Amino acid sequence: MSPELIGFLGIIAILILFFLKIPVAITLIIVSLLGTTLIRGWDVAFAQLGRTPFDISSDYSLSVIPLFILMGMILSYTGIGKDLYRMVDSWIGHLRGGLAMATIGTAAIFSSISGSLNATTATVAKIALPEMEKYKYKPGLSTSSVAAGGTLGILIPPSVILILYGILTREPIGALLISGIIPGILQITIFIITVYILVRKDPSIAPPREGKASNSERLRTLKNIWPFIGLFLVSIGGIYLGIFTPTEAAGVGAFGALLFALLSRKLTWESLKGSLNESVRLTAFIFFILMGANLFGQFLVISRIPVMLTTYIGNLDLNPYIILIGILIILLVLGCFIESLALVVITLPILYPIITELGFNGIWFGVIMIMVINIGALTPPLGISVYVIKGVAKNISLQTIFRGVVPMIIAMIVCVGILVIFPQIVTILPDLMN
């Protein structure tokens, strides 16, 4: 068999194993090992298998991942979720549909802290759903606001998946983190506008709430989240101003989170052990996937598939945007069936050379790609966010939740369209860094 045919068979094998629920890292390692063996022999395959784990685990630049994860886990275990919800609610909760808007804002901020879509969705659902049920919000609106808000953590720094994109493509991690700020704010705004439109169309889904928080109460709620604001400004602001590298910023953030937790006495011995345990587990999971992704990338290189596809598409007499839209549609469909991290890992070695050959900005494509894939968190049959909410709100049917998130899915597609038409929204802050 030719190397190209072996490469295509390897990709098909990976997709089949994913659908069979085989762990991502194990799937990538097995297929890469067998594929490399067929093309280059056992000696080369096992040499790569022996070298790659050490290369990944000893790479200094990758220390940004466990440090940012540790920062997020420590803050998550301090109970900042409730403080965030009270703060956002005090400012906009009195508006019609304000509780749903506050839920979106809370989920967006908390997801950027925790770095976990599942943890964010579960935490915010436990806090916000009872409150919205108390004020007679319809289940479709309340659950969709939780689900939509939880997806925003992939954009708002520190985003672990954007860091992984930078590692896999060699795009600057600092610029990638900064690039997600404005798109994240834009997506929050579009979600809130969506809620406003839904409530205007049918006021019964979000009855008005009497009472408005006083200015003193609003300021008091701000005091409870100042550590997060301070850590964000110091770490991400330090990256933007060139004071810190991403790794240094992550170290400052992790130390600052631990210091706040100790001084505020919000972190018990049990919660400290829990945050460290979760940090180690998530870091090991990500590094294991990175090892598999590295082996898979090497396998694709020797199979010559990226070169072949890049050459073929480059010779097509088509507008680059038509090819881009085709790629995004494929990612959208695959995102409905494959978890976002796995999909990024298996598609980037193929898509990134094509995108750069077409003349598109790599940082811009990273934000667009991840946003499109993330839509799968709200769509069947995968719909991770929906199933997490169902686990918390057992009295609400899956059909109700899936119907409720349809407007949010449309809002996400609209946001992607805006970023495709106006790429400067993504690139303006990274360009200013330069």
Side-chain angles (χ1 to χ4, degrees):
M1 288 188 291
S2 67
E4 292 83 358
L5 179 58
I6 294 173
F8 277 117
L9 291 175
I11 294 171
I12 293 171
I14 282 177
L15 294 174
I16 292 173
L17 291 174
F18 280 168
F19 285 122
L20 293 176
K21 306 299 183 182
I22 305 299
V24 176
I26 294 175
T27 296
L28 293 171
I29 290 172
I30 291 174
V31 172
S32 302
L33 183 65
L34 293 176
T36 302
T37 298
L38 292 173
I39 298 174
R40 293 285 179 85
W42 284 106
D43 291 345
V44 174
F46 276 101
Q48 291 178 348
L49 182 62
R51 184 180 65 248
T52 298
F54 176 79
D55 291 343
I56 295 295
S57 58
S58 63
D59 190 340
Y60 170 76
S61 64
L62 297 187
S63 57
V64 65
I65 294 176
L67 289 172
F68 268 136
I69 289 174
L70 178 60
M71 181 188 81
M73 289 300 171
I74 291 175
L75 289 175
S76 297
Y77 274 82
T78 61
I80 198 171
K82 292 182 179 178
D83 293 335
L84 284 171
Y85 187 74
R86 291 193 194 100
M87 185 275 293
V88 181
D89 178 43
S90 69
W91 286 87
I92 63 175
H94 62 281
L95 302 174
R96 184 178 286 276
L99 286 177
M101 298 176 187
T103 299
I104 291 171
T106 303
I109 299 171
F110 189 84
S111 61
S112 70
I113 295 172
S114 70
S116 169
L117 184 148
N118 292 347
T120 298
T121 305
T123 301
V124 176
K126 292 175 184 176
I127 297 170
L129 289 182
E131 191 72 10
M132 286 188 279
E133 183 179 3
K134 174 183 174 182
Y135 288 97
K136 310 299 182 184
Y137 274 56
K138 292 293 179 66
L141 178 63
S142 59
T143 54
S144 67
S145 60
V146 175
T151 65
L152 290 161
I154 63 163
L155 290 176
I156 304 171
S159 166
V160 172
I161 199 166
L162 279 176
I163 293 172
L164 288 176
Y165 178 92
I167 292 169
L168 295 173
T169 62
R170 302 299 180 184
E171 293 284 355
I173 292 174
L176 278 165
L177 290 174
I178 297 299
S179 70
I181 295 176
I182 296 180
I185 295 172
L186 175 64
Q187 185 68 84
I188 293 172
T189 304
I190 294 175
F191 280 151
I192 290 176
I193 291 173
T194 302
V195 171
Y196 176 79
I197 293 172
L198 292 172
V199 173
R200 289 280 293 182
K201 184 179 178 182
D202 183 6
S204 67
I205 65 174
R209 187 184 72 177
E210 295 182 4
K212 182 178 179 180
S214 63
N215 290 333
S216 60
E217 186 178 346
R218 289 175 173 177
L219 293 175
R220 189 164 55 252
T221 59
L222 282 175
K223 291 179 182 178
N224 294 329
I225 67 160
W226 69 263
F228 168 72
I229 297 173
L231 287 175
F232 181 87
L233 292 176
V234 170
S235 58
I236 305 303
I239 293 174
Y240 180 75
L241 296 174
I243 299 173
F244 302 132
T245 65
T247 301
E248 291 167 346
V252 169
F255 177 76
L258 180 60
L259 189 63
F260 158 71
L262 293 174
L263 293 178
S264 65
R265 299 181 180 178
K266 290 186 175 181
L267 194 66
T268 64
W269 177 245
E270 289 300 318
S271 58
L272 177 60
K273 288 196 296 183
S275 62
L276 292 173
N277 183 47
E278 287 296 318
S279 298
V280 170
R281 286 174 179 272
L282 186 54
T283 299
F285 170 74
I286 291 174
F287 270 60
F288 199 18
I289 289 178
L290 279 174
M291 293 173 191
N294 189 288
L295 289 169
F296 182 62
Q298 295 178 61
F299 163 56
L300 287 180
V301 167
I302 63 175
S303 73
R304 294 185 49 81
I305 285 181
V307 174
M308 184 185 70
L309 289 177
T310 301
T311 303
Y312 173 75
I313 292 176
N315 292 331
L316 292 176
D317 188 19
L318 291 174
N319 186 296
Y321 279 94
I322 294 177
I323 299 173
L324 173 68
I325 292 171
I327 290 173
L328 295 181
I329 291 173
I330 292 171
L331 289 173
L332 178 61
V333 173
L334 290 176
C336 297
F337 300 93
I338 302 174
E339 191 268 338
S340 58
L341 185 58
L343 189 53
V344 168
V345 167
I346 65 172
T347 57
L348 260 187
I350 299 170
L351 295 181
Y352 184 74
I354 295 173
I355 288 298
T356 53
E357 178 68 21
L358 293 173
F360 292 113
N361 183 289
I363 292 176
W364 168 81
F365 178 70
V367 172
I368 296 291
M369 176 189 188
I370 291 169
M371 288 183 69
V372 169
I373 291 174
N374 207 43
I375 295 174
L378 303 181
T379 57
L382 190 62
I384 295 174
S385 289
V386 173
Y387 292 108
V388 172
I389 292 173
K390 174 60 180 174
V392 175
K394 300 184 185 299
N395 59 318
I396 303 175
S397 68
L398 276 174
Q399 291 84 353
T400 299
I401 304 173
F402 274 122
R403 280 199 301 268
V405 298
V406 170
M408 300 303 181
I409 293 171
I410 295 172
M412 295 175 79
I413 294 173
V414 168
C415 187
V416 170
I418 293 172
L419 297 182
V420 169
I421 297 171
F422 304 104
Q424 298 84 358
I425 295 175
V426 178
T427 58
I428 183 172
L429 289 182
D431 288 345
L432 288 174
M433 285 177 65
N434 296 331

